PDB file of all heavy atoms in Angstrom:
ATOM      1  N   PRO A 123     -75.890 -43.835 -72.032  1.00 84.00           N
ATOM      2  CA  PRO A 123     -76.917 -42.992 -71.408  1.00 84.00           C
ATOM      3  C   PRO A 123     -77.948 -42.434 -72.387  1.00 84.00           C
ATOM      4  O   PRO A 123     -79.112 -42.269 -72.038  1.00 84.00           O
ATOM      5  CB  PRO A 123     -76.111 -41.853 -70.772  1.00 84.00           C
ATOM      6  CG  PRO A 123     -74.753 -42.409 -70.575  1.00 84.00           C
ATOM      7  CD  PRO A 123     -74.544 -43.392 -71.693  1.00 84.00           C
ATOM      8  N   ARG A 124     -77.563 -42.158 -73.618  1.00 88.00           N
ATOM      9  CA  ARG A 124     -78.535 -41.625 -74.589  1.00 88.00           C
ATOM     10  C   ARG A 124     -79.568 -42.671 -74.975  1.00 88.00           C
ATOM     11  O   ARG A 124     -80.726 -42.340 -75.223  1.00 88.00           O
ATOM     12  CB  ARG A 124     -77.827 -41.096 -75.831  1.00 88.00           C
ATOM     13  CG  ARG A 124     -77.163 -39.783 -75.539  1.00 88.00           C
ATOM     14  CD  ARG A 124     -76.806 -39.068 -76.789  1.00 88.00           C
ATOM     15  NE  ARG A 124     -76.143 -37.824 -76.422  1.00 88.00           N
ATOM     16  CZ  ARG A 124     -75.550 -37.046 -77.256  1.00 88.00           C
ATOM     17  NH1 ARG A 124     -75.516 -37.354 -78.532  1.00 88.00           N
ATOM     18  NH2 ARG A 124     -74.972 -35.947 -76.842  1.00 88.00           N
ATOM     19  N   ILE A 125     -79.156 -43.916 -75.046  1.00 85.00           N
ATOM     20  CA  ILE A 125     -80.117 -44.989 -75.341  1.00 85.00           C
ATOM     21  C   ILE A 125     -81.108 -45.098 -74.183  1.00 85.00           C
ATOM     22  O   ILE A 125     -82.304 -45.281 -74.395  1.00 85.00           O
ATOM     23  CB  ILE A 125     -79.401 -46.323 -75.611  1.00 85.00           C
ATOM     24  CG1 ILE A 125     -78.536 -46.197 -76.867  1.00 85.00           C
ATOM     25  CG2 ILE A 125     -80.399 -47.463 -75.751  1.00 85.00           C
ATOM     26  CD1 ILE A 125     -77.666 -47.390 -77.152  1.00 85.00           C
ATOM     27  N   GLU A 126     -80.613 -44.934 -72.967  1.00 79.00           N
ATOM     28  CA  GLU A 126     -81.501 -44.938 -71.797  1.00 79.00           C
ATOM     29  C   GLU A 126     -82.525 -43.809 -71.902  1.00 79.00           C
ATOM     30  O   GLU A 126     -83.713 -44.016 -71.690  1.00 79.00           O
ATOM     31  CB  GLU A 126     -80.692 -44.781 -70.511  1.00 79.00           C
ATOM     32  CG  GLU A 126     -81.576 -44.651 -69.284  1.00 79.00           C
ATOM     33  CD  GLU A 126     -80.819 -44.238 -68.047  1.00 79.00           C
ATOM     34  OE1 GLU A 126     -79.691 -43.724 -68.157  1.00 79.00           O
ATOM     35  OE2 GLU A 126     -81.383 -44.413 -66.948  1.00 79.00           O
ATOM     36  N   GLN A 127     -82.075 -42.611 -72.258  1.00 82.00           N
ATOM     37  CA  GLN A 127     -82.980 -41.460 -72.392  1.00 82.00           C
ATOM     38  C   GLN A 127     -84.019 -41.702 -73.482  1.00 82.00           C
ATOM     39  O   GLN A 127     -85.204 -41.391 -73.314  1.00 82.00           O
ATOM     40  CB  GLN A 127     -82.181 -40.196 -72.706  1.00 82.00           C
ATOM     41  CG  GLN A 127     -81.313 -39.737 -71.571  1.00 82.00           C
ATOM     42  CD  GLN A 127     -80.345 -38.637 -71.993  1.00 82.00           C
ATOM     43  OE1 GLN A 127     -80.250 -38.293 -73.170  1.00 82.00           O
ATOM     44  NE2 GLN A 127     -79.626 -38.087 -71.025  1.00 82.00           N
ATOM     45  N   TRP A 128     -83.594 -42.269 -74.591  1.00 82.00           N
ATOM     46  CA  TRP A 128     -84.494 -42.553 -75.708  1.00 82.00           C
ATOM     47  C   TRP A 128     -85.567 -43.569 -75.299  1.00 82.00           C
ATOM     48  O   TRP A 128     -86.757 -43.364 -75.534  1.00 82.00           O
ATOM     49  CB  TRP A 128     -83.661 -43.053 -76.890  1.00 82.00           C
ATOM     50  CG  TRP A 128     -84.456 -43.343 -78.112  1.00 82.00           C
ATOM     51  CD1 TRP A 128     -85.045 -42.452 -78.932  1.00 82.00           C
ATOM     52  CD2 TRP A 128     -84.734 -44.643 -78.642  1.00 82.00           C
ATOM     53  NE1 TRP A 128     -85.673 -43.116 -79.971  1.00 82.00           N
ATOM     54  CE2 TRP A 128     -85.500 -44.464 -79.814  1.00 82.00           C
ATOM     55  CE3 TRP A 128     -84.401 -45.931 -78.258  1.00 82.00           C
ATOM     56  CZ2 TRP A 128     -85.948 -45.529 -80.567  1.00 82.00           C
ATOM     57  CZ3 TRP A 128     -84.848 -46.999 -79.025  1.00 82.00           C
ATOM     58  CH2 TRP A 128     -85.611 -46.777 -80.158  1.00 82.00           C
ATOM     59  N   LEU A 129     -85.134 -44.662 -74.659  1.00 77.00           N
ATOM     60  CA  LEU A 129     -86.094 -45.677 -74.212  1.00 77.00           C
ATOM     61  C   LEU A 129     -87.028 -45.137 -73.141  1.00 77.00           C
ATOM     62  O   LEU A 129     -88.208 -45.480 -73.101  1.00 77.00           O
ATOM     63  CB  LEU A 129     -85.372 -46.920 -73.706  1.00 77.00           C
ATOM     64  CG  LEU A 129     -84.868 -47.864 -74.777  1.00 77.00           C
ATOM     65  CD1 LEU A 129     -84.078 -49.010 -74.151  1.00 77.00           C
ATOM     66  CD2 LEU A 129     -86.011 -48.418 -75.598  1.00 77.00           C
ATOM     67  N   HIS A 130     -86.491 -44.298 -72.266  1.00 74.00           N
ATOM     68  CA  HIS A 130     -87.330 -43.699 -71.225  1.00 74.00           C
ATOM     69  C   HIS A 130     -88.433 -42.845 -71.862  1.00 74.00           C
ATOM     70  O   HIS A 130     -89.588 -42.894 -71.436  1.00 74.00           O
ATOM     71  CB  HIS A 130     -86.471 -42.878 -70.267  1.00 74.00           C
ATOM     72  CG  HIS A 130     -87.242 -42.340 -69.103  1.00 74.00           C
ATOM     73  ND1 HIS A 130     -87.680 -43.148 -68.082  1.00 74.00           N
ATOM     74  CD2 HIS A 130     -87.676 -41.091 -68.823  1.00 74.00           C
ATOM     75  CE1 HIS A 130     -88.350 -42.413 -67.215  1.00 74.00           C
ATOM     76  NE2 HIS A 130     -88.360 -41.156 -67.643  1.00 74.00           N
ATOM     77  N   ALA A 131     -88.084 -42.084 -72.885  1.00 77.00           N
ATOM     78  CA  ALA A 131     -89.079 -41.255 -73.579  1.00 77.00           C
ATOM     79  C   ALA A 131     -90.149 -42.124 -74.250  1.00 77.00           C
ATOM     80  O   ALA A 131     -91.337 -41.805 -74.197  1.00 77.00           O
ATOM     81  CB  ALA A 131     -88.395 -40.361 -74.609  1.00 77.00           C
ATOM     82  N   LEU A 132     -89.735 -43.215 -74.875  1.00 76.00           N
ATOM     83  CA  LEU A 132     -90.702 -44.140 -75.488  1.00 76.00           C
ATOM     84  C   LEU A 132     -91.612 -44.750 -74.430  1.00 76.00           C
ATOM     85  O   LEU A 132     -92.820 -44.865 -74.625  1.00 76.00           O
ATOM     86  CB  LEU A 132     -89.971 -45.253 -76.247  1.00 76.00           C
ATOM     87  CG  LEU A 132     -89.308 -44.871 -77.559  1.00 76.00           C
ATOM     88  CD1 LEU A 132     -88.508 -46.048 -78.106  1.00 76.00           C
ATOM     89  CD2 LEU A 132     -90.360 -44.419 -78.565  1.00 76.00           C
ATOM     90  N   ARG A 133     -91.030 -45.152 -73.313  1.00 70.00           N
ATOM     91  CA  ARG A 133     -91.803 -45.773 -72.243  1.00 70.00           C
ATOM     92  C   ARG A 133     -92.826 -44.795 -71.679  1.00 70.00           C
ATOM     93  O   ARG A 133     -93.974 -45.156 -71.432  1.00 70.00           O
ATOM     94  CB  ARG A 133     -90.870 -46.249 -71.123  1.00 70.00           C
ATOM     95  CG  ARG A 133     -91.586 -47.098 -70.089  1.00 70.00           C
ATOM     96  CD  ARG A 133     -90.879 -47.073 -68.762  1.00 70.00           C
ATOM     97  NE  ARG A 133     -90.991 -45.794 -68.088  1.00 70.00           N
ATOM     98  CZ  ARG A 133     -92.082 -45.366 -67.436  1.00 70.00           C
ATOM     99  NH1 ARG A 133     -93.151 -46.101 -67.396  1.00 70.00           N
ATOM    100  NH2 ARG A 133     -92.096 -44.193 -66.843  1.00 70.00           N
ATOM    101  N   GLU A 134     -92.428 -43.540 -71.507  1.00 71.00           N
ATOM    102  CA  GLU A 134     -93.341 -42.520 -70.989  1.00 71.00           C
ATOM    103  C   GLU A 134     -94.563 -42.365 -71.894  1.00 71.00           C
ATOM    104  O   GLU A 134     -95.662 -42.117 -71.421  1.00 71.00           O
ATOM    105  CB  GLU A 134     -92.628 -41.170 -70.862  1.00 71.00           C
ATOM    106  CG  GLU A 134     -91.658 -41.095 -69.718  1.00 71.00           C
ATOM    107  CD  GLU A 134     -92.351 -41.071 -68.365  1.00 71.00           C
ATOM    108  OE1 GLU A 134     -93.361 -40.370 -68.223  1.00 71.00           O
ATOM    109  OE2 GLU A 134     -91.861 -41.787 -67.467  1.00 71.00           O
ATOM    110  N   ARG A 135     -94.344 -42.533 -73.174  1.00 69.00           N
ATOM    111  CA  ARG A 135     -95.435 -42.317 -74.124  1.00 69.00           C
ATOM    112  C   ARG A 135     -96.325 -43.546 -74.301  1.00 69.00           C
ATOM    113  O   ARG A 135     -97.543 -43.417 -74.420  1.00 69.00           O
ATOM    114  CB  ARG A 135     -94.840 -41.906 -75.466  1.00 69.00           C
ATOM    115  CG  ARG A 135     -95.882 -41.509 -76.451  1.00 69.00           C
ATOM    116  CD  ARG A 135     -95.308 -40.753 -77.572  1.00 69.00           C
ATOM    117  NE  ARG A 135     -96.387 -39.981 -78.166  1.00 69.00           N
ATOM    118  CZ  ARG A 135     -96.221 -39.036 -79.010  1.00 69.00           C
ATOM    119  NH1 ARG A 135     -95.019 -38.688 -79.382  1.00 69.00           N
ATOM    120  NH2 ARG A 135     -97.236 -38.395 -79.525  1.00 69.00           N
ATOM    121  N   TRP A 136     -95.734 -44.755 -74.355  1.00 64.00           N
ATOM    122  CA  TRP A 136     -96.520 -45.931 -74.735  1.00 64.00           C
ATOM    123  C   TRP A 136     -96.537 -47.089 -73.752  1.00 64.00           C
ATOM    124  O   TRP A 136     -97.247 -48.050 -73.974  1.00 64.00           O
ATOM    125  CB  TRP A 136     -96.029 -46.465 -76.085  1.00 64.00           C
ATOM    126  CG  TRP A 136     -96.406 -45.572 -77.208  1.00 64.00           C
ATOM    127  CD1 TRP A 136     -97.655 -45.199 -77.589  1.00 64.00           C
ATOM    128  CD2 TRP A 136     -95.515 -44.916 -78.100  1.00 64.00           C
ATOM    129  NE1 TRP A 136     -97.602 -44.353 -78.663  1.00 64.00           N
ATOM    130  CE2 TRP A 136     -96.288 -44.161 -79.008  1.00 64.00           C
ATOM    131  CE3 TRP A 136     -94.136 -44.884 -78.248  1.00 64.00           C
ATOM    132  CZ2 TRP A 136     -95.740 -43.402 -80.025  1.00 64.00           C
ATOM    133  CZ3 TRP A 136     -93.580 -44.117 -79.252  1.00 64.00           C
ATOM    134  CH2 TRP A 136     -94.382 -43.394 -80.127  1.00 64.00           C
ATOM    135  N   SER A 137     -95.795 -47.047 -72.710  1.00 61.00           N
ATOM    136  CA  SER A 137     -95.717 -48.208 -71.831  1.00 61.00           C
ATOM    137  C   SER A 137     -96.878 -48.276 -70.856  1.00 61.00           C
ATOM    138  O   SER A 137     -97.392 -47.256 -70.411  1.00 61.00           O
ATOM    139  CB  SER A 137     -94.406 -48.197 -71.041  1.00 61.00           C
ATOM    140  OG  SER A 137     -94.321 -49.355 -70.241  1.00 61.00           O
ATOM    141  N   VAL A 138     -97.262 -49.493 -70.501  1.00 53.00           N
ATOM    142  CA  VAL A 138     -98.283 -49.701 -69.478  1.00 53.00           C
ATOM    143  C   VAL A 138     -97.650 -49.922 -68.114  1.00 53.00           C
ATOM    144  O   VAL A 138     -98.353 -49.987 -67.115  1.00 53.00           O
ATOM    145  CB  VAL A 138     -99.188 -50.915 -69.821  1.00 53.00           C
ATOM    146  CG1 VAL A 138     -99.919 -50.678 -71.115  1.00 53.00           C
ATOM    147  CG2 VAL A 138     -98.391 -52.200 -69.855  1.00 53.00           C
ATOM    148  N   ARG A 139     -96.341 -50.022 -68.088  1.00 59.00           N
ATOM    149  CA  ARG A 139     -95.650 -50.241 -66.817  1.00 59.00           C
ATOM    150  C   ARG A 139     -95.762 -49.021 -65.915  1.00 59.00           C
ATOM    151  O   ARG A 139     -95.732 -47.892 -66.369  1.00 59.00           O
ATOM    152  CB  ARG A 139     -94.181 -50.562 -67.041  1.00 59.00           C
ATOM    153  CG  ARG A 139     -94.023 -51.951 -67.566  1.00 59.00           C
ATOM    154  CD  ARG A 139     -92.683 -52.474 -67.213  1.00 59.00           C
ATOM    155  NE  ARG A 139     -92.704 -53.888 -67.598  1.00 59.00           N
ATOM    156  CZ  ARG A 139     -91.696 -54.660 -67.458  1.00 59.00           C
ATOM    157  NH1 ARG A 139     -90.582 -54.217 -66.954  1.00 59.00           N
ATOM    158  NH2 ARG A 139     -91.783 -55.920 -67.817  1.00 59.00           N
ATOM    159  N   ARG A 140     -95.846 -49.289 -64.624  1.00 58.00           N
ATOM    160  CA  ARG A 140     -95.961 -48.226 -63.636  1.00 58.00           C
ATOM    161  C   ARG A 140     -94.674 -47.437 -63.499  1.00 58.00           C
ATOM    162  O   ARG A 140     -94.694 -46.270 -63.138  1.00 58.00           O
ATOM    163  CB  ARG A 140     -96.346 -48.813 -62.280  1.00 58.00           C
ATOM    164  CG  ARG A 140     -97.750 -49.401 -62.270  1.00 58.00           C
ATOM    165  CD  ARG A 140     -98.001 -50.105 -60.982  1.00 58.00           C
ATOM    166  NE  ARG A 140     -97.821 -51.547 -61.239  1.00 58.00           N
ATOM    167  CZ  ARG A 140     -97.758 -52.468 -60.328  1.00 58.00           C
ATOM    168  NH1 ARG A 140     -97.817 -52.146 -59.067  1.00 58.00           N
ATOM    169  NH2 ARG A 140     -97.619 -53.731 -60.657  1.00 58.00           N
ATOM    170  N   SER A 141     -93.537 -48.078 -63.742  1.00 61.00           N
ATOM    171  CA  SER A 141     -92.261 -47.376 -63.611  1.00 61.00           C
ATOM    172  C   SER A 141     -91.259 -47.925 -64.623  1.00 61.00           C
ATOM    173  O   SER A 141     -91.415 -49.031 -65.123  1.00 61.00           O
ATOM    174  CB  SER A 141     -91.700 -47.525 -62.195  1.00 61.00           C
ATOM    175  OG  SER A 141     -91.396 -48.878 -61.939  1.00 61.00           O
ATOM    176  N   ALA A 142     -90.234 -47.127 -64.907  1.00 62.00           N
ATOM    177  CA  ALA A 142     -89.230 -47.521 -65.891  1.00 62.00           C
ATOM    178  C   ALA A 142     -88.317 -48.614 -65.355  1.00 62.00           C
ATOM    179  O   ALA A 142     -87.772 -49.398 -66.111  1.00 62.00           O
ATOM    180  CB  ALA A 142     -88.387 -46.315 -66.296  1.00 62.00           C
ATOM    181  N   ARG A 143     -88.132 -48.637 -64.051  1.00 75.00           N
ATOM    182  CA  ARG A 143     -87.269 -49.659 -63.455  1.00 75.00           C
ATOM    183  C   ARG A 143     -87.965 -50.249 -62.240  1.00 75.00           C
ATOM    184  O   ARG A 143     -88.699 -49.576 -61.549  1.00 75.00           O
ATOM    185  CB  ARG A 143     -85.908 -49.087 -63.088  1.00 75.00           C
ATOM    186  CG  ARG A 143     -85.900 -47.975 -62.113  1.00 75.00           C
ATOM    187  CD  ARG A 143     -84.516 -47.401 -61.809  1.00 75.00           C
ATOM    188  NE  ARG A 143     -83.640 -47.224 -62.933  1.00 75.00           N
ATOM    189  CZ  ARG A 143     -83.566 -46.120 -63.681  1.00 75.00           C
ATOM    190  NH1 ARG A 143     -84.360 -45.118 -63.420  1.00 75.00           N
ATOM    191  NH2 ARG A 143     -82.719 -46.028 -64.671  1.00 75.00           N
ATOM    192  N   GLN A 144     -87.719 -51.511 -62.058  1.00 84.00           N
ATOM    193  CA  GLN A 144     -88.250 -52.196 -60.892  1.00 84.00           C
ATOM    194  C   GLN A 144     -87.102 -52.394 -59.918  1.00 84.00           C
ATOM    195  O   GLN A 144     -86.014 -52.829 -60.297  1.00 84.00           O
ATOM    196  CB  GLN A 144     -88.846 -53.546 -61.284  1.00 84.00           C
ATOM    197  CG  GLN A 144     -89.390 -54.291 -60.100  1.00 84.00           C
ATOM    198  CD  GLN A 144     -89.978 -55.620 -60.487  1.00 84.00           C
ATOM    199  OE1 GLN A 144     -90.241 -55.888 -61.647  1.00 84.00           O
ATOM    200  NE2 GLN A 144     -90.178 -56.476 -59.514  1.00 84.00           N
ATOM    201  N   ILE A 145     -87.339 -52.088 -58.672  1.00 88.00           N
ATOM    202  CA  ILE A 145     -86.311 -52.218 -57.651  1.00 88.00           C
ATOM    203  C   ILE A 145     -86.615 -53.437 -56.783  1.00 88.00           C
ATOM    204  O   ILE A 145     -87.743 -53.611 -56.320  1.00 88.00           O
ATOM    205  CB  ILE A 145     -86.237 -50.946 -56.790  1.00 88.00           C
ATOM    206  CG1 ILE A 145     -85.745 -49.789 -57.667  1.00 88.00           C
ATOM    207  CG2 ILE A 145     -85.356 -51.141 -55.569  1.00 88.00           C
ATOM    208  CD1 ILE A 145     -85.739 -48.450 -57.005  1.00 88.00           C
ATOM    209  N   VAL A 146     -85.598 -54.273 -56.596  1.00 92.00           N
ATOM    210  CA  VAL A 146     -85.700 -55.440 -55.727  1.00 92.00           C
ATOM    211  C   VAL A 146     -84.734 -55.219 -54.569  1.00 92.00           C
ATOM    212  O   VAL A 146     -83.518 -55.277 -54.759  1.00 92.00           O
ATOM    213  CB  VAL A 146     -85.351 -56.740 -56.478  1.00 92.00           C
ATOM    214  CG1 VAL A 146     -85.366 -57.931 -55.531  1.00 92.00           C
ATOM    215  CG2 VAL A 146     -86.292 -56.961 -57.652  1.00 92.00           C
ATOM    216  N   PRO A 147     -85.248 -54.941 -53.364  1.00 94.00           N
ATOM    217  CA  PRO A 147     -84.350 -54.756 -52.221  1.00 94.00           C
ATOM    218  C   PRO A 147     -83.525 -56.020 -51.971  1.00 94.00           C
ATOM    219  O   PRO A 147     -84.043 -57.136 -52.066  1.00 94.00           O
ATOM    220  CB  PRO A 147     -85.294 -54.490 -51.051  1.00 94.00           C
ATOM    221  CG  PRO A 147     -86.584 -54.079 -51.679  1.00 94.00           C
ATOM    222  CD  PRO A 147     -86.646 -54.789 -52.998  1.00 94.00           C
ATOM    223  N   TRP A 148     -82.265 -55.847 -51.661  1.00 95.00           N
ATOM    224  CA  TRP A 148     -81.391 -56.994 -51.409  1.00 95.00           C
ATOM    225  C   TRP A 148     -81.917 -57.828 -50.240  1.00 95.00           C
ATOM    226  O   TRP A 148     -81.745 -59.041 -50.206  1.00 95.00           O
ATOM    227  CB  TRP A 148     -79.957 -56.520 -51.154  1.00 95.00           C
ATOM    228  CG  TRP A 148     -79.005 -57.639 -50.972  1.00 95.00           C
ATOM    229  CD1 TRP A 148     -78.349 -57.978 -49.828  1.00 95.00           C
ATOM    230  CD2 TRP A 148     -78.585 -58.600 -51.962  1.00 95.00           C
ATOM    231  NE1 TRP A 148     -77.550 -59.080 -50.043  1.00 95.00           N
ATOM    232  CE2 TRP A 148     -77.678 -59.472 -51.351  1.00 95.00           C
ATOM    233  CE3 TRP A 148     -78.906 -58.781 -53.308  1.00 95.00           C
ATOM    234  CZ2 TRP A 148     -77.074 -60.533 -52.024  1.00 95.00           C
ATOM    235  CZ3 TRP A 148     -78.304 -59.838 -53.977  1.00 95.00           C
ATOM    236  CH2 TRP A 148     -77.408 -60.696 -53.346  1.00 95.00           C
ATOM    237  N   SER A 149     -82.616 -57.188 -49.309  1.00 95.00           N
ATOM    238  CA  SER A 149     -83.165 -57.910 -48.162  1.00 95.00           C
ATOM    239  C   SER A 149     -84.225 -58.933 -48.572  1.00 95.00           C
ATOM    240  O   SER A 149     -84.543 -59.843 -47.804  1.00 95.00           O
ATOM    241  CB  SER A 149     -83.764 -56.926 -47.151  1.00 95.00           C
ATOM    242  OG  SER A 149     -84.814 -56.193 -47.754  1.00 95.00           O
ATOM    243  N   LYS A 150     -84.785 -58.804 -49.775  1.00 94.00           N
ATOM    244  CA  LYS A 150     -85.799 -59.737 -50.264  1.00 94.00           C
ATOM    245  C   LYS A 150     -85.201 -60.951 -50.978  1.00 94.00           C
ATOM    246  O   LYS A 150     -85.924 -61.864 -51.354  1.00 94.00           O
ATOM    247  CB  LYS A 150     -86.771 -59.026 -51.210  1.00 94.00           C
ATOM    248  CG  LYS A 150     -87.567 -57.933 -50.547  1.00 94.00           C
ATOM    249  CD  LYS A 150     -88.533 -58.505 -49.553  1.00 94.00           C
ATOM    250  CE  LYS A 150     -89.433 -57.439 -48.981  1.00 94.00           C
ATOM    251  NZ  LYS A 150     -90.359 -57.987 -47.996  1.00 94.00           N
ATOM    252  N   VAL A 151     -83.891 -60.950 -51.198  1.00 95.00           N
ATOM    253  CA  VAL A 151     -83.241 -62.091 -51.858  1.00 95.00           C
ATOM    254  C   VAL A 151     -83.072 -63.207 -50.831  1.00 95.00           C
ATOM    255  O   VAL A 151     -82.491 -63.005 -49.768  1.00 95.00           O
ATOM    256  CB  VAL A 151     -81.873 -61.675 -52.449  1.00 95.00           C
ATOM    257  CG1 VAL A 151     -81.145 -62.876 -53.024  1.00 95.00           C
ATOM    258  CG2 VAL A 151     -82.066 -60.603 -53.508  1.00 95.00           C
ATOM    259  N   THR A 152     -83.625 -64.384 -51.151  1.00 94.00           N
ATOM    260  CA  THR A 152     -83.556 -65.516 -50.223  1.00 94.00           C
ATOM    261  C   THR A 152     -82.541 -66.564 -50.637  1.00 94.00           C
ATOM    262  O   THR A 152     -82.083 -67.334 -49.796  1.00 94.00           O
ATOM    263  CB  THR A 152     -84.938 -66.179 -50.068  1.00 94.00           C
ATOM    264  OG1 THR A 152     -85.399 -66.597 -51.357  1.00 94.00           O
ATOM    265  CG2 THR A 152     -85.934 -65.211 -49.449  1.00 94.00           C
ATOM    266  N   ALA A 153     -82.221 -66.648 -51.919  1.00 93.00           N
ATOM    267  CA  ALA A 153     -81.270 -67.665 -52.385  1.00 93.00           C
ATOM    268  C   ALA A 153     -80.583 -67.191 -53.653  1.00 93.00           C
ATOM    269  O   ALA A 153     -81.172 -66.508 -54.480  1.00 93.00           O
ATOM    270  CB  ALA A 153     -81.992 -68.983 -52.648  1.00 93.00           C
ATOM    271  N   LEU A 154     -79.336 -67.569 -53.777  1.00 92.00           N
ATOM    272  CA  LEU A 154     -78.540 -67.258 -54.957  1.00 92.00           C
ATOM    273  C   LEU A 154     -77.826 -68.535 -55.352  1.00 92.00           C
ATOM    274  O   LEU A 154     -77.065 -69.096 -54.568  1.00 92.00           O
ATOM    275  CB  LEU A 154     -77.530 -66.150 -54.624  1.00 92.00           C
ATOM    276  CG  LEU A 154     -76.525 -65.772 -55.700  1.00 92.00           C
ATOM    277  CD1 LEU A 154     -77.230 -65.228 -56.924  1.00 92.00           C
ATOM    278  CD2 LEU A 154     -75.552 -64.733 -55.159  1.00 92.00           C
ATOM    279  N   ASN A 155     -78.135 -69.039 -56.550  1.00 89.00           N
ATOM    280  CA  ASN A 155     -77.473 -70.246 -57.027  1.00 89.00           C
ATOM    281  C   ASN A 155     -77.011 -70.016 -58.466  1.00 89.00           C
ATOM    282  O   ASN A 155     -77.292 -68.969 -59.039  1.00 89.00           O
ATOM    283  CB  ASN A 155     -78.386 -71.476 -56.875  1.00 89.00           C
ATOM    284  CG  ASN A 155     -79.621 -71.416 -57.732  1.00 89.00           C
ATOM    285  OD1 ASN A 155     -79.540 -71.131 -58.929  1.00 89.00           O
ATOM    286  ND2 ASN A 155     -80.780 -71.671 -57.156  1.00 89.00           N
ATOM    287  N   PRO A 156     -76.309 -70.964 -59.050  1.00 89.00           N
ATOM    288  CA  PRO A 156     -75.790 -70.746 -60.411  1.00 89.00           C
ATOM    289  C   PRO A 156     -76.861 -70.488 -61.473  1.00 89.00           C
ATOM    290  O   PRO A 156     -76.586 -69.907 -62.506  1.00 89.00           O
ATOM    291  CB  PRO A 156     -75.039 -72.034 -60.720  1.00 89.00           C
ATOM    292  CG  PRO A 156     -74.721 -72.620 -59.390  1.00 89.00           C
ATOM    293  CD  PRO A 156     -75.840 -72.211 -58.485  1.00 89.00           C
ATOM    294  N   HIS A 157     -78.107 -70.905 -61.206  1.00 89.00           N
ATOM    295  CA  HIS A 157     -79.166 -70.802 -62.215  1.00 89.00           C
ATOM    296  C   HIS A 157     -80.035 -69.564 -62.078  1.00 89.00           C
ATOM    297  O   HIS A 157     -80.501 -69.014 -63.059  1.00 89.00           O
ATOM    298  CB  HIS A 157     -80.039 -72.046 -62.189  1.00 89.00           C
ATOM    299  CG  HIS A 157     -79.263 -73.299 -62.314  1.00 89.00           C
ATOM    300  ND1 HIS A 157     -78.605 -73.661 -63.464  1.00 89.00           N
ATOM    301  CD2 HIS A 157     -78.971 -74.262 -61.410  1.00 89.00           C
ATOM    302  CE1 HIS A 157     -77.974 -74.800 -63.286  1.00 89.00           C
ATOM    303  NE2 HIS A 157     -78.172 -75.186 -62.042  1.00 89.00           N
ATOM    304  N   HIS A 158     -80.295 -69.170 -60.844  1.00 93.00           N
ATOM    305  CA  HIS A 158     -81.166 -68.017 -60.630  1.00 93.00           C
ATOM    306  C   HIS A 158     -80.983 -67.428 -59.238  1.00 93.00           C
ATOM    307  O   HIS A 158     -80.297 -67.988 -58.398  1.00 93.00           O
ATOM    308  CB  HIS A 158     -82.632 -68.389 -60.862  1.00 93.00           C
ATOM    309  CG  HIS A 158     -83.138 -69.459 -59.950  1.00 93.00           C
ATOM    310  ND1 HIS A 158     -83.248 -70.758 -60.338  1.00 93.00           N
ATOM    311  CD2 HIS A 158     -83.538 -69.421 -58.661  1.00 93.00           C
ATOM    312  CE1 HIS A 158     -83.707 -71.483 -59.339  1.00 93.00           C
ATOM    313  NE2 HIS A 158     -83.895 -70.695 -58.304  1.00 93.00           N
TER     314      HIS A 158
END
């Protein structure tokens, strides 16, 4: 958890990403195979 807090602080300061985590709803998953 401390590494998460540290990275979150870095991301808040320098990241261009809109959010620290991207959420993919399970309802959007169409296929699951051994590769992807």
